[in-house]
Amino acid sequence: MQLVVQAKLMPDAAQASAPASTLRTLNEAANRVSAVAFDLGVPREYELRKHTYADLRAQGLGAQAAQHTIKKVRDAYTTLAATIRAGHLGKPGSKRRRNAESAPVAFRPEAAHPFDDRCLSWRYDQRTVSIWTTAGRLKNVGFACSSEALEMLVEHRRGESDLVERDGVFYLMATCEVPEAEQYAPAGFIGVDLGIANIATTSTGYRAAGRGLNRHRKRQAALRAKLQAKKTTSAKRRLKKRNRRERRDVANTNHVIAKQIVTEAERTSAGIALEDLTGIRQRVRLCRPQRVAIHSWAFARLAAFIAYKAKRAGVPLVSVDPAYTSRECAERHHIDTRNRLDRARFVCRSCGVVAHADRNASRAIARRGEDAWNAGRASRVPAAP
């Protein structure tokens, strides 16, 4: 399992300008390679290297830096092709798709760039790195990270690390290969219902977020709308800053929710049943206020956080079909549109059970998760001779 660890670079005054000029030089070179790739119809990496490698070396890039620049461009075109095939840029002939296909892929001056172990070496005991730059090799560049992140770097770092710039501060994003824990046999399942009023509700009674977080989100949306209406340079700068802050806040909230759910499952030796929300935006038809609410939270990212934390802890995880879970009685499994009185109340028309709607849905998801797990185990059991 691959995880990314972030380390903040802390160069001294003499070293401070080198990372910035290196990133800009590398991304300018990537734009030139991208133009060549576009003109040639995006050839294979080997063919692209034959047309661009000598030019990059002549302009002062090191051998490894030139190789990584070419690979970075080719990977960008591969990602673009996959995005188009998946339909994320619209149908053939749409404006977004035409714009993407009619010009070379462009790289921002501060875009991330990969460094391998030949260009970047770590000194964990001294908390320093040695990194290649266009101004020469920088040695003894300090870095800062948490003690947990440092332990993960020492034990599990593998492969490349990306150099990233954010507001004039530089970070190294290191890839770590963390082994997955062995899964245990679950003694039941915890169902997780994702929603608007409550970001996540579990069948054990845990309810995440709620009205306080939703009020905060509405307040942030109102502030964004005011800044967008101004259309001034300072307003755009503040919007960009607020966007990063909101993204960090959402990521932190999702991490807290995911950790709480996985910890509870591990403590009770239970598995986790999650709704499979793949393609939810294409399947569900909602009015405008509901679209804003359901699309403004990173539910897919929350599910990804739960998945990787469950793998690290050895917690079994299954995805289930969420169809009709909001209308199904968790006791008698009776499905009726009238069972759901409103956003919060559930009353079964068959047996009369009264419950919180999200709690009832999470219990229905838990049952489906257990059924899916047992069905998967039965399919792997060999037939009796």
Side-chain angles (χ1 to χ4, degrees):
M1 177 175 57
Q2 288 190 345
L3 298 179
V4 176
V5 172
Q6 175 178 286
K8 180 180 178 181
L9 285 185
M10 305 178 68
D12 58 31
Q15 301 168 335
S17 61
S21 61
T22 298
L23 267 189
R24 279 151 182 74
T25 300
L26 291 171
N27 284 306
E28 288 172 3
N31 284 327
R32 292 195 297 271
V33 174
S34 179
V36 173
F38 183 79
D39 292 339
L40 297 177
V42 193
R44 291 183 177 182
E45 185 179 335
Y46 176 75
E47 292 294 327
L48 185 58
R49 188 179 295 118
K50 288 199 302 185
H51 289 90
T52 58
Y53 179 76
D55 177 60
L56 294 178
R57 293 287 286 140
Q59 293 173 11
L61 293 190
Q64 288 300 113
Q67 299 276 18
H68 281 298
T69 299
I70 296 168
K71 185 177 183 298
K72 169 181 168 180
V73 172
R74 191 62 187 83
D75 289 346
Y77 277 99
T78 301
T79 302
L80 175 62
T83 303
I84 292 174
R85 284 197 304 271
H88 297 321
L89 295 180
K91 299 179 180 179
S94 66
K95 184 177 180 181
R96 288 184 65 199
R97 183 160 175 173
R98 285 200 311 270
N99 290 340
E101 295 175 328
S102 61
V105 173
F107 297 87
R108 293 174 289 104
E110 68 277 8
H113 191 84
F115 288 78
D116 63 13
D117 287 343
R118 296 185 182 182
C119 303
L120 174 69
S121 57
W122 299 75
R123 300 290 183 269
Y124 302 117
D125 53 343
Q126 302 174 11
R127 294 208 179 192
T128 62
V129 297
S130 171
I131 185 171
W132 175 90
T133 69
T134 53
R137 189 89 177 187
L138 289 187
K139 298 182 179 181
N140 299 320
V141 181
F143 72 87
C145 62
S146 66
S147 57
E148 294 82 1
L150 181 62
E151 182 179 355
M152 188 176 293
L153 284 171
V154 173
E155 296 180 359
H156 304 299
R157 189 192 66 82
R158 299 289 185 277
E160 300 174 351
S161 303
D162 287 352
L163 180 64
V164 179
E165 179 185 357
R166 293 176 185 161
D167 298 329
V169 181
F170 291 89
Y171 300 88
L172 286 171
M173 304 296 185
T175 303
C176 296
E177 291 282 352
V178 180
E180 298 179 11
E182 184 178 355
Q183 283 189 353
Y184 54 76
F189 273 80
I190 295 176
V192 182
D193 177 61
L194 305 178
I196 299 172
N198 298 296
I199 301 302
T201 304
T202 69
S203 54
T204 56
Y206 171 68
R207 193 179 301 169
R211 290 185 299 175
L213 180 58
N214 287 324
R215 284 198 298 267
H216 173 73
R217 292 163 63 191
K218 288 181 180 179
R219 186 164 60 250
Q220 298 302 318
L223 290 172
R224 283 199 307 271
K226 288 182 179 179
L227 289 172
Q228 288 167 349
K230 291 182 179 296
K231 299 181 180 181
T232 61
T233 302
S234 60
K236 292 178 181 177
R237 184 175 62 251
R238 292 184 64 186
L239 270 172
K240 188 176 180 181
K241 186 176 181 180
R242 292 196 67 84
N243 177 56
R244 289 192 291 267
R245 183 184 301 168
E246 290 177 29
R247 289 175 63 185
R248 291 194 300 270
D249 184 59
V250 169
N252 178 69
T253 302
N254 278 339
H255 271 298
V256 171
I257 295 171
K259 184 177 180 180
Q260 180 74 24
I261 293 170
V262 173
T263 301
E264 177 67 14
E266 186 179 13
R267 185 184 66 82
T268 57
S269 298
I272 298 174
L274 275 179
E275 298 174 284
D276 182 6
L277 299 179
T278 304
I280 186 68
R281 296 188 180 187
Q282 289 74 34
R283 297 197 309 267
V284 177
R285 296 292 179 265
L286 301 168
C287 62
R288 186 181 296 271
Q290 289 176 316
R291 288 201 301 267
V292 171
I294 200 168
H295 294 171
S296 62
W297 193 261
F299 290 109
R301 198 173 187 191
L302 172 58
F305 286 172
I306 294 174
Y308 95 77
K309 291 178 189 294
K311 286 182 179 179
R312 290 192 66 185
V315 176
L317 178 74
V318 294
S319 296
V320 301
D321 185 0
Y324 306 113
T325 52
S326 63
R327 305 173 185 176
E328 178 184 352
C329 175
E331 295 289 339
R332 301 291 182 181
H333 316 310
H334 174 70
I335 299 176
D336 193 321
T337 305
R338 298 173 297 170
N339 286 349
R340 186 75 176 261
L341 295 183
D342 52 37
R343 177 176 288 179
R345 289 188 299 166
F346 182 94
V347 179
C348 180
R349 298 287 174 173
S350 175
C351 63
V353 165
V354 179
H356 188 280
D358 292 342
R359 177 74 182 280
N360 176 80
S362 65
R363 292 177 61 200
I365 292 169
R367 181 188 61 81
R368 293 188 185 187
E370 189 165 357
D371 291 345
W373 178 265
N374 292 333
R377 289 184 64 198
S379 66
R380 295 193 295 269
V381 175

PDB file of all heavy atoms in Angstrom, residues 8-37:
ATOM      1  N   LYS A   8       8.660  19.304   5.067  1.00  0.00           N
ATOM      2  CA  LYS A   8       8.866  20.713   4.728  1.00  0.00           C
ATOM      3  C   LYS A   8      10.357  21.021   4.662  1.00  0.00           C
ATOM      4  O   LYS A   8      11.097  20.779   5.616  1.00  0.00           O
ATOM      5  CB  LYS A   8       8.198  21.595   5.783  1.00  0.00           C
ATOM      6  CG  LYS A   8       8.351  23.083   5.537  1.00  0.00           C
ATOM      7  CD  LYS A   8       7.663  23.873   6.641  1.00  0.00           C
ATOM      8  CE  LYS A   8       7.841  25.370   6.469  1.00  0.00           C
ATOM      9  NZ  LYS A   8       7.183  26.124   7.561  1.00  0.00           N
ATOM     10  N   LEU A   9      10.788  21.561   3.515  1.00  0.00           N
ATOM     11  CA  LEU A   9      12.187  21.939   3.369  1.00  0.00           C
ATOM     12  C   LEU A   9      12.450  23.259   4.090  1.00  0.00           C
ATOM     13  O   LEU A   9      11.626  24.180   4.039  1.00  0.00           O
ATOM     14  CB  LEU A   9      12.553  22.077   1.894  1.00  0.00           C
ATOM     15  CG  LEU A   9      12.729  20.783   1.096  1.00  0.00           C
ATOM     16  CD1 LEU A   9      13.208  21.103  -0.316  1.00  0.00           C
ATOM     17  CD2 LEU A   9      13.722  19.844   1.770  1.00  0.00           C
ATOM     18  N   MET A  10      13.601  23.356   4.719  1.00  0.00           N
ATOM     19  CA  MET A  10      13.983  24.558   5.465  1.00  0.00           C
ATOM     20  C   MET A  10      15.385  25.002   5.045  1.00  0.00           C
ATOM     21  O   MET A  10      16.349  24.882   5.813  1.00  0.00           O
ATOM     22  CB  MET A  10      13.907  24.287   6.966  1.00  0.00           C
ATOM     23  CG  MET A  10      12.554  23.763   7.418  1.00  0.00           C
ATOM     24  SD  MET A  10      12.477  23.380   9.177  1.00  0.00           S
ATOM     25  CE  MET A  10      12.606  25.020   9.877  1.00  0.00           C
ATOM     26  N   PRO A  11      15.548  25.510   3.812  1.00  0.00           N
ATOM     27  CA  PRO A  11      16.872  25.950   3.357  1.00  0.00           C
ATOM     28  C   PRO A  11      17.293  27.230   4.062  1.00  0.00           C
ATOM     29  O   PRO A  11      16.454  28.032   4.493  1.00  0.00           O
ATOM     30  CB  PRO A  11      16.660  26.184   1.859  1.00  0.00           C
ATOM     31  CG  PRO A  11      15.206  26.503   1.731  1.00  0.00           C
ATOM     32  CD  PRO A  11      14.505  25.701   2.790  1.00  0.00           C
ATOM     33  N   ASP A  12      18.605  27.437   4.173  1.00  0.00           N
ATOM     34  CA  ASP A  12      19.089  28.678   4.766  1.00  0.00           C
ATOM     35  C   ASP A  12      19.083  29.786   3.711  1.00  0.00           C
ATOM     36  O   ASP A  12      18.646  29.582   2.577  1.00  0.00           O
ATOM     37  CB  ASP A  12      20.489  28.482   5.362  1.00  0.00           C
ATOM     38  CG  ASP A  12      21.503  27.991   4.331  1.00  0.00           C
ATOM     39  OD1 ASP A  12      21.355  28.330   3.133  1.00  0.00           O
ATOM     40  OD2 ASP A  12      22.439  27.268   4.716  1.00  0.00           O
ATOM     41  N   ALA A  13      19.546  30.965   4.075  1.00  0.00           N
ATOM     42  CA  ALA A  13      19.462  32.121   3.179  1.00  0.00           C
ATOM     43  C   ALA A  13      20.230  31.896   1.883  1.00  0.00           C
ATOM     44  O   ALA A  13      19.790  32.319   0.802  1.00  0.00           O
ATOM     45  CB  ALA A  13      19.996  33.359   3.898  1.00  0.00           C
ATOM     46  N   ALA A  14      21.357  31.212   1.954  1.00  0.00           N
ATOM     47  CA  ALA A  14      22.164  30.979   0.753  1.00  0.00           C
ATOM     48  C   ALA A  14      21.540  29.941  -0.170  1.00  0.00           C
ATOM     49  O   ALA A  14      21.802  29.936  -1.373  1.00  0.00           O
ATOM     50  CB  ALA A  14      23.571  30.531   1.162  1.00  0.00           C
ATOM     51  N   GLN A  15      20.696  29.066   0.384  1.00  0.00           N
ATOM     52  CA  GLN A  15      20.095  27.998  -0.410  1.00  0.00           C
ATOM     53  C   GLN A  15      18.687  28.326  -0.893  1.00  0.00           C
ATOM     54  O   GLN A  15      18.143  27.625  -1.740  1.00  0.00           O
ATOM     55  CB  GLN A  15      20.023  26.714   0.440  1.00  0.00           C
ATOM     56  CG  GLN A  15      21.360  26.213   0.944  1.00  0.00           C
ATOM     57  CD  GLN A  15      21.181  25.139   2.002  1.00  0.00           C
ATOM     58  OE1 GLN A  15      20.155  25.085   2.682  1.00  0.00           O
ATOM     59  NE2 GLN A  15      22.193  24.293   2.147  1.00  0.00           N
ATOM     60  N   ALA A  16      18.100  29.406  -0.381  1.00  0.00           N
ATOM     61  CA  ALA A  16      16.669  29.643  -0.556  1.00  0.00           C
ATOM     62  C   ALA A  16      16.242  29.803  -2.001  1.00  0.00           C
ATOM     63  O   ALA A  16      15.150  29.372  -2.392  1.00  0.00           O
ATOM     64  CB  ALA A  16      16.255  30.876   0.248  1.00  0.00           C
ATOM     65  N   SER A  17      17.056  30.427  -2.848  1.00  0.00           N
ATOM     66  CA  SER A  17      16.633  30.720  -4.217  1.00  0.00           C
ATOM     67  C   SER A  17      16.769  29.531  -5.168  1.00  0.00           C
ATOM     68  O   SER A  17      16.107  29.490  -6.208  1.00  0.00           O
ATOM     69  CB  SER A  17      17.439  31.897  -4.771  1.00  0.00           C
ATOM     70  OG  SER A  17      18.825  31.585  -4.806  1.00  0.00           O
ATOM     71  N   ALA A  18      17.596  28.560  -4.820  1.00  0.00           N
ATOM     72  CA  ALA A  18      17.876  27.451  -5.740  1.00  0.00           C
ATOM     73  C   ALA A  18      16.660  26.575  -6.022  1.00  0.00           C
ATOM     74  O   ALA A  18      16.399  26.237  -7.187  1.00  0.00           O
ATOM     75  CB  ALA A  18      19.035  26.611  -5.209  1.00  0.00           C
ATOM     76  N   PRO A  19      15.872  26.146  -5.027  1.00  0.00           N
ATOM     77  CA  PRO A  19      14.702  25.302  -5.340  1.00  0.00           C
ATOM     78  C   PRO A  19      13.704  25.980  -6.258  1.00  0.00           C
ATOM     79  O   PRO A  19      13.154  25.347  -7.164  1.00  0.00           O
ATOM     80  CB  PRO A  19      14.101  25.019  -3.955  1.00  0.00           C
ATOM     81  CG  PRO A  19      15.228  25.174  -3.003  1.00  0.00           C
ATOM     82  CD  PRO A  19      16.073  26.271  -3.565  1.00  0.00           C
ATOM     83  N   ALA A  20      13.459  27.292  -6.056  1.00  0.00           N
ATOM     84  CA  ALA A  20      12.497  27.999  -6.895  1.00  0.00           C
ATOM     85  C   ALA A  20      12.971  28.074  -8.344  1.00  0.00           C
ATOM     86  O   ALA A  20      12.208  27.784  -9.277  1.00  0.00           O
ATOM     87  CB  ALA A  20      12.263  29.409  -6.342  1.00  0.00           C
ATOM     88  N   SER A  21      14.228  28.451  -8.559  1.00  0.00           N
ATOM     89  CA  SER A  21      14.735  28.545  -9.926  1.00  0.00           C
ATOM     90  C   SER A  21      14.796  27.169 -10.582  1.00  0.00           C
ATOM     91  O   SER A  21      14.559  27.033 -11.788  1.00  0.00           O
ATOM     92  CB  SER A  21      16.129  29.188  -9.924  1.00  0.00           C
ATOM     93  OG  SER A  21      17.045  28.399  -9.180  1.00  0.00           O
ATOM     94  N   THR A  22      15.059  26.132  -9.798  1.00  0.00           N
ATOM     95  CA  THR A  22      15.101  24.769 -10.349  1.00  0.00           C
ATOM     96  C   THR A  22      13.727  24.339 -10.832  1.00  0.00           C
ATOM     97  O   THR A  22      13.586  23.816 -11.950  1.00  0.00           O
ATOM     98  CB  THR A  22      15.610  23.782  -9.281  1.00  0.00           C
ATOM     99  OG1 THR A  22      16.938  24.151  -8.903  1.00  0.00           O
ATOM    100  CG2 THR A  22      15.603  22.362  -9.807  1.00  0.00           C
ATOM    101  N   LEU A  23      12.707  24.553 -10.026  1.00  0.00           N
ATOM    102  CA  LEU A  23      11.355  24.173 -10.433  1.00  0.00           C
ATOM    103  C   LEU A  23      10.929  24.913 -11.687  1.00  0.00           C
ATOM    104  O   LEU A  23      10.342  24.330 -12.614  1.00  0.00           O
ATOM    105  CB  LEU A  23      10.363  24.455  -9.305  1.00  0.00           C
ATOM    106  CG  LEU A  23      10.045  23.318  -8.335  1.00  0.00           C
ATOM    107  CD1 LEU A  23       8.888  23.705  -7.429  1.00  0.00           C
ATOM    108  CD2 LEU A  23       9.692  22.040  -9.075  1.00  0.00           C
ATOM    109  N   ARG A  24      11.214  26.220 -11.749  1.00  0.00           N
ATOM    110  CA  ARG A  24      10.811  26.998 -12.913  1.00  0.00           C
ATOM    111  C   ARG A  24      11.547  26.541 -14.174  1.00  0.00           C
ATOM    112  O   ARG A  24      10.965  26.425 -15.248  1.00  0.00           O
ATOM    113  CB  ARG A  24      11.034  28.483 -12.645  1.00  0.00           C
ATOM    114  CG  ARG A  24       9.896  29.092 -11.833  1.00  0.00           C
ATOM    115  CD  ARG A  24      10.336  30.265 -10.981  1.00  0.00           C
ATOM    116  NE  ARG A  24       9.229  30.773 -10.183  1.00  0.00           N
ATOM    117  CZ  ARG A  24       8.724  30.168  -9.112  1.00  0.00           C
ATOM    118  NH1 ARG A  24       9.225  29.015  -8.727  1.00  0.00           N
ATOM    119  NH2 ARG A  24       7.711  30.684  -8.446  1.00  0.00           N
ATOM    120  N   THR A  25      12.827  26.254 -14.046  1.00  0.00           N
ATOM    121  CA  THR A  25      13.602  25.781 -15.193  1.00  0.00           C
ATOM    122  C   THR A  25      13.088  24.431 -15.682  1.00  0.00           C
ATOM    123  O   THR A  25      12.921  24.202 -16.888  1.00  0.00           O
ATOM    124  CB  THR A  25      15.085  25.679 -14.817  1.00  0.00           C
ATOM    125  OG1 THR A  25      15.571  26.960 -14.422  1.00  0.00           O
ATOM    126  CG2 THR A  25      15.905  25.167 -15.995  1.00  0.00           C
ATOM    127  N   LEU A  26      12.809  23.529 -14.750  1.00  0.00           N
ATOM    128  CA  LEU A  26      12.327  22.201 -15.120  1.00  0.00           C
ATOM    129  C   LEU A  26      10.955  22.257 -15.769  1.00  0.00           C
ATOM    130  O   LEU A  26      10.674  21.535 -16.734  1.00  0.00           O
ATOM    131  CB  LEU A  26      12.300  21.298 -13.883  1.00  0.00           C
ATOM    132  CG  LEU A  26      13.663  20.897 -13.307  1.00  0.00           C
ATOM    133  CD1 LEU A  26      13.487  20.194 -11.968  1.00  0.00           C
ATOM    134  CD2 LEU A  26      14.417  19.999 -14.286  1.00  0.00           C
ATOM    135  N   ASN A  27      10.084  23.127 -15.284  1.00  0.00           N
ATOM    136  CA  ASN A  27       8.751  23.215 -15.866  1.00  0.00           C
ATOM    137  C   ASN A  27       8.753  23.943 -17.206  1.00  0.00           C
ATOM    138  O   ASN A  27       7.935  23.635 -18.080  1.00  0.00           O
ATOM    139  CB  ASN A  27       7.790  23.884 -14.878  1.00  0.00           C
ATOM    140  CG  ASN A  27       7.384  22.938 -13.757  1.00  0.00           C
ATOM    141  OD1 ASN A  27       6.904  21.840 -13.998  1.00  0.00           O
ATOM    142  ND2 ASN A  27       7.590  23.363 -12.518  1.00  0.00           N
ATOM    143  N   GLU A  28       9.653  24.894 -17.383  1.00  0.00           N
ATOM    144  CA  GLU A  28       9.818  25.492 -18.712  1.00  0.00           C
ATOM    145  C   GLU A  28      10.298  24.434 -19.706  1.00  0.00           C
ATOM    146  O   GLU A  28       9.821  24.367 -20.857  1.00  0.00           O
ATOM    147  CB  GLU A  28      10.817  26.645 -18.636  1.00  0.00           C
ATOM    148  CG  GLU A  28      10.286  27.890 -17.932  1.00  0.00           C
ATOM    149  CD  GLU A  28      11.377  28.926 -17.709  1.00  0.00           C
ATOM    150  OE1 GLU A  28      12.522  28.676 -18.165  1.00  0.00           O
ATOM    151  OE2 GLU A  28      11.092  29.973 -17.093  1.00  0.00           O
ATOM    152  N   ALA A  29      11.234  23.581 -19.262  1.00  0.00           N
ATOM    153  CA  ALA A  29      11.701  22.498 -20.126  1.00  0.00           C
ATOM    154  C   ALA A  29      10.571  21.518 -20.421  1.00  0.00           C
ATOM    155  O   ALA A  29      10.433  21.027 -21.551  1.00  0.00           O
ATOM    156  CB  ALA A  29      12.874  21.778 -19.460  1.00  0.00           C
ATOM    157  N   ALA A  30       9.736  21.238 -19.429  1.00  0.00           N
ATOM    158  CA  ALA A  30       8.604  20.331 -19.635  1.00  0.00           C
ATOM    159  C   ALA A  30       7.622  20.908 -20.650  1.00  0.00           C
ATOM    160  O   ALA A  30       7.058  20.162 -21.472  1.00  0.00           O
ATOM    161  CB  ALA A  30       7.899  20.069 -18.308  1.00  0.00           C
ATOM    162  N   ASN A  31       7.424  22.213 -20.649  1.00  0.00           N
ATOM    163  CA  ASN A  31       6.534  22.835 -21.642  1.00  0.00           C
ATOM    164  C   ASN A  31       7.102  22.709 -23.056  1.00  0.00           C
ATOM    165  O   ASN A  31       6.357  22.496 -24.017  1.00  0.00           O
ATOM    166  CB  ASN A  31       6.304  24.307 -21.286  1.00  0.00           C
ATOM    167  CG  ASN A  31       5.330  24.475 -20.130  1.00  0.00           C
ATOM    168  OD1 ASN A  31       4.405  23.680 -19.969  1.00  0.00           O
ATOM    169  ND2 ASN A  31       5.539  25.511 -19.330  1.00  0.00           N
ATOM    170  N   ARG A  32       8.418  22.816 -23.191  1.00  0.00           N
ATOM    171  CA  ARG A  32       9.026  22.645 -24.513  1.00  0.00           C
ATOM    172  C   ARG A  32       8.886  21.196 -24.991  1.00  0.00           C
ATOM    173  O   ARG A  32       8.569  20.941 -26.159  1.00  0.00           O
ATOM    174  CB  ARG A  32      10.506  23.051 -24.473  1.00  0.00           C
ATOM    175  CG  ARG A  32      10.734  24.539 -24.249  1.00  0.00           C
ATOM    176  CD  ARG A  32      12.166  24.928 -24.576  1.00  0.00           C
ATOM    177  NE  ARG A  32      13.120  24.260 -23.701  1.00  0.00           N
ATOM    178  CZ  ARG A  32      13.529  24.742 -22.531  1.00  0.00           C
ATOM    179  NH1 ARG A  32      13.055  25.907 -22.087  1.00  0.00           N
ATOM    180  NH2 ARG A  32      14.406  24.091 -21.792  1.00  0.00           N
ATOM    181  N   VAL A  33       9.111  20.258 -24.096  1.00  0.00           N
ATOM    182  CA  VAL A  33       8.942  18.840 -24.450  1.00  0.00           C
ATOM    183  C   VAL A  33       7.483  18.558 -24.789  1.00  0.00           C
ATOM    184  O   VAL A  33       7.187  17.807 -25.729  1.00  0.00           O
ATOM    185  CB  VAL A  33       9.416  17.943 -23.293  1.00  0.00           C
ATOM    186  CG1 VAL A  33       9.122  16.478 -23.589  1.00  0.00           C
ATOM    187  CG2 VAL A  33      10.902  18.135 -23.042  1.00  0.00           C
ATOM    188  N   SER A  34       6.567  19.166 -24.059  1.00  0.00           N
ATOM    189  CA  SER A  34       5.142  18.971 -24.322  1.00  0.00           C
ATOM    190  C   SER A  34       4.761  19.475 -25.708  1.00  0.00           C
ATOM    191  O   SER A  34       3.956  18.847 -26.416  1.00  0.00           O
ATOM    192  CB  SER A  34       4.307  19.694 -23.255  1.00  0.00           C
ATOM    193  OG  SER A  34       2.933  19.547 -23.494  1.00  0.00           O
ATOM    194  N   ALA A  35       5.334  20.603 -26.126  1.00  0.00           N
ATOM    195  CA  ALA A  35       5.051  21.124 -27.463  1.00  0.00           C
ATOM    196  C   ALA A  35       5.549  20.161 -28.545  1.00  0.00           C
ATOM    197  O   ALA A  35       4.870  19.924 -29.557  1.00  0.00           O
ATOM    198  CB  ALA A  35       5.692  22.494 -27.630  1.00  0.00           C
ATOM    199  N   VAL A  36       6.717  19.583 -28.329  1.00  0.00           N
ATOM    200  CA  VAL A  36       7.248  18.605 -29.286  1.00  0.00           C
ATOM    201  C   VAL A  36       6.357  17.368 -29.331  1.00  0.00           C
ATOM    202  O   VAL A  36       6.042  16.843 -30.407  1.00  0.00           O
ATOM    203  CB  VAL A  36       8.696  18.217 -28.906  1.00  0.00           C
ATOM    204  CG1 VAL A  36       9.196  17.080 -29.797  1.00  0.00           C
ATOM    205  CG2 VAL A  36       9.620  19.421 -29.010  1.00  0.00           C
ATOM    206  N   ALA A  37       5.929  16.893 -28.155  1.00  0.00           N
ATOM    207  CA  ALA A  37       5.065  15.716 -28.099  1.00  0.00           C
ATOM    208  C   ALA A  37       3.744  15.969 -28.807  1.00  0.00           C
ATOM    209  O   ALA A  37       3.229  15.104 -29.534  1.00  0.00           O
ATOM    210  CB  ALA A  37       4.811  15.334 -26.636  1.00  0.00           C
TER     211      ALA A  37
END
